[in-house]
Amino acid sequence: MMPSVEEVVLRRIELPLVAPFTTSFGTQTSREVLLVEVVGSDGTTGWGECVATRLPFYSEETVDGCESLLVGTLLPMLFAADIDHPAGLEALFAPIRRNKMARAALECALWDLYARSNSVSLASALGGTRDEIEVGISIGLQDGDEALLDRVGAAVDAGFRRVKVKVRPGRDVAMVTAVRREFPEVALMVDANSAYTLADADHLRGFDDLELMMIEQPLAHDDIVDHAELARRIRTPICLDESIHGVDDARKALQLGAAALVNIKIGRVGGLTTSVRIHDLCRDAGVPVWCGGMLETGIGRATNIAMTSLPGFVLPGDTAPSANYWTRDLITPEVTMERGIVAVPDGPGLGYEVDRPWILELATRTRTVRADSRTPALVD
Ligand code: OSB
Ligand code: MG
């Protein structure tokens, strides 16, 4: 059982990244984060992080849009309903189209509330079986090959279990060939963030001799048909990220042969309940999954770690330690790694302490919505 939610506090913070992060769609130097804190009737609170970005370049969602939808629509729907388990949110929000990151931020907070209130770890509440997880690193586009080789070398020295390198037209096959030459043994993959089209198939075949674990999202963010065709033309396994927004997308992608692997991001699919269902579907189909990242603070990172304890997460995720991203994280202790292994905490909920004083200091805007506040009409 989950306590009823008495109020929800939305806080906005901006946190600079320790280093700029560049993908084929742009450079991020900081994250603008929307945090959701749900306060239960038993005094317990749960935390969720919204992974939407300031600009709609990864997906159509934005931080401002998510905040607006939560205040105007999702919270009134929650307060009008009688939800006694976080899994109930999936059905409650089913009439809403997309807006997955906004939904996930609230759903993750409810899962944390549920787990804390029942004195169990979020990992075990979700059905997790592992007490340690393997992690990889996602390395953004660098100014030149030398800088990239330095970054990969540092990652290998630190013991990361897998190295992912961002690519884009002009910085791809030759660059990754140089990485492979210098690091013949490293578990290596690339992520294109939708930078190519099917017309690039011959060029992308240049990756085939580099023994990559996979190429992530080479084609359009909303495509699964061209990816299936590309899969017939290249040997490197294709992993989908941007194209998968729910269980049906995953089912159709597997059916078409568009994905040999799936990157699960809790925010992109609308929450933990849906993430677990995609995990189950892929596990039954023998398709490996791994946990993607959205440069999360410790709150979203802790949620990712709990989910990765499920048995189908057989490949290292993008859940690198806090110090990769932040000078001071929002949780204590921060996430640390020992030779590519992160321990799954067994304390209640997220299993880390949320650094509330630090969050209050950072907060640039705080909005509290109470369950008994006047509910706006939910019909047009
Ligand atoms: O495509 O996986 C991606 C970061 C922001 C948006 C999209 C992606 C990423 C990453 C970084 O690759 C993963 C991480 O370290 O959190
Ligand atoms: Mg990706």
Side-chain angles (χ1 to χ4, degrees):
M1 283 285 282
M2 187 178 78
S4 64
V5 178
E6 300 212 314
E7 64 179 36
V8 176
V9 187
L10 303 178
R11 296 188 182 88
R12 288 279 289 264
I13 65 168
E14 187 172 346
L15 216 53
L17 287 160
V18 295
F21 188 78
T22 302
T23 64
S24 61
F25 60 78
T27 298
Q28 270 183 270
T29 55
S30 69
R31 264 205 66 216
E32 196 158 326
V33 188
L34 170 65
L35 297 175
V36 178
E37 183 183 16
V38 294
V39 181
S41 53
D42 62 356
T44 314
T45 76
W47 290 86
E49 172 174 346
C50 181
V51 299
T53 40
R54 196 169 63 81
L55 299 167
F57 291 169
Y58 168 80
S59 78
E60 73 284 4
E61 292 190 82
T62 64
V63 200
D64 282 342
C66 288
E67 183 178 335
S68 166
L69 189 81
L70 278 158
V71 171
T73 305
L74 302 184
L75 294 179
M77 283 175 83
L78 173 71
F79 293 139
D82 199 10
I83 297 283
D84 64 2
H85 192 281
L89 223 57
E90 196 188 44
L92 179 70
F93 290 157
I96 307 270
R97 301 275 193 254
R98 296 286 184 129
N99 291 289
K100 299 292 176 97
M101 293 175 179
R103 291 148 69 158
L106 179 58
E107 199 241 20
C108 288
L110 289 183
W111 269 105
D112 183 34
L113 173 71
Y114 167 81
R116 283 183 202 263
S117 173
N118 289 282
S119 303
V120 295
S121 68
L122 177 58
S124 66
L126 293 169
T129 51
R130 258 183 259 275
D131 58 9
E132 340 187 283
I133 60 165
E134 289 190 317
V135 298
I137 187 171
S138 175
I139 300 178
L141 287 157
Q142 304 293 310
D143 287 338
D145 288 4
E146 277 309 310
L148 177 63
L149 292 171
D150 286 351
R151 291 291 307 270
V152 175
V156 169
D157 290 346
F160 280 99
R161 298 294 165 117
R162 178 223 73 198
V163 171
K164 161 166 136 183
V165 170
K166 294 285 186 180
V167 294
R168 65 161 171 81
R171 304 210 30 87
D172 48 30
V173 176
M175 178 183 85
V176 180
T177 301
V179 173
R180 179 48 93 205
R181 200 177 301 132
E182 185 122 347
F183 303 96
E185 306 290 336
V186 70
L188 187 64
M189 61 174 285
V190 295
D191 185 357
N193 289 108
S194 298
Y196 299 92
T197 71
L198 210 42
D200 299 309
D202 287 342
H203 178 67
L204 293 174
R205 204 177 296 126
F207 284 127
D208 279 359
D209 295 328
L210 301 178
E211 288 189 71
L212 303 182
M213 299 168 76
M214 67 194 93
I215 178 169
E216 189 179 338
Q217 196 72 33
L219 309 181
H221 71 96
D222 55 357
D223 168 78
I224 54 172
V225 174
D226 285 355
H227 278 100
E229 177 58 28
L230 182 64
R232 290 188 279 273
R233 298 203 205 162
I234 65 174
R235 273 190 289 117
T236 305
I238 294 175
C239 172
L240 290 180
D241 172 358
E242 281 90 331
S243 296
I244 306 295
H245 297 270
V247 181
D248 283 334
D249 289 342
R251 175 180 59 76
K252 291 171 192 173
L254 301 193
Q255 193 176 318
L256 283 177
L261 309 105
V262 175
N263 165 331
I264 299 182
K265 286 182 183 169
I266 301 164
R268 199 191 62 232
V269 304
L272 283 162
T273 306
T274 306
S275 295
V276 172
R277 295 211 288 126
I278 295 172
H279 158 277
D280 294 348
L281 172 93
C282 290
R283 203 167 171 229
D284 291 347
V287 169
V289 301
W290 55 279
C291 178
M294 290 293 289
L295 312 176
E296 285 89 348
T297 74
I299 291 173
R301 195 164 301 280
T303 317
N304 285 340
I305 291 168
M307 178 178 77
T308 307
S309 71
L310 269 73
F313 285 86
V314 292
L315 293 174
D318 274 345
T319 313
S322 302
N324 254 48
Y325 309 85
W326 319 113
T327 47
R328 179 177 168 189
D329 206 342
L330 307 183
I331 55 168
T332 50
E334 60 174 36
V335 176
T336 56
M337 171 185 97
E338 200 58 58
R339 307 301 308 162
I341 299 289
V342 169
V344 179
D346 56 10
L350 295 176
Y352 297 85
E353 193 184 328
V354 174
D355 191 346
R356 175 187 291 276
W358 181 223
I359 291 171
L360 296 188
E361 204 175 306
L362 290 167
T364 53
R365 177 160 71 211
T366 303
R367 291 166 88 174
T368 302
V369 185
R370 290 193 51 83
D372 53 15
S373 59
R374 244 190 64 229
T375 305
L378 285 171
V379 287
D380 285 330

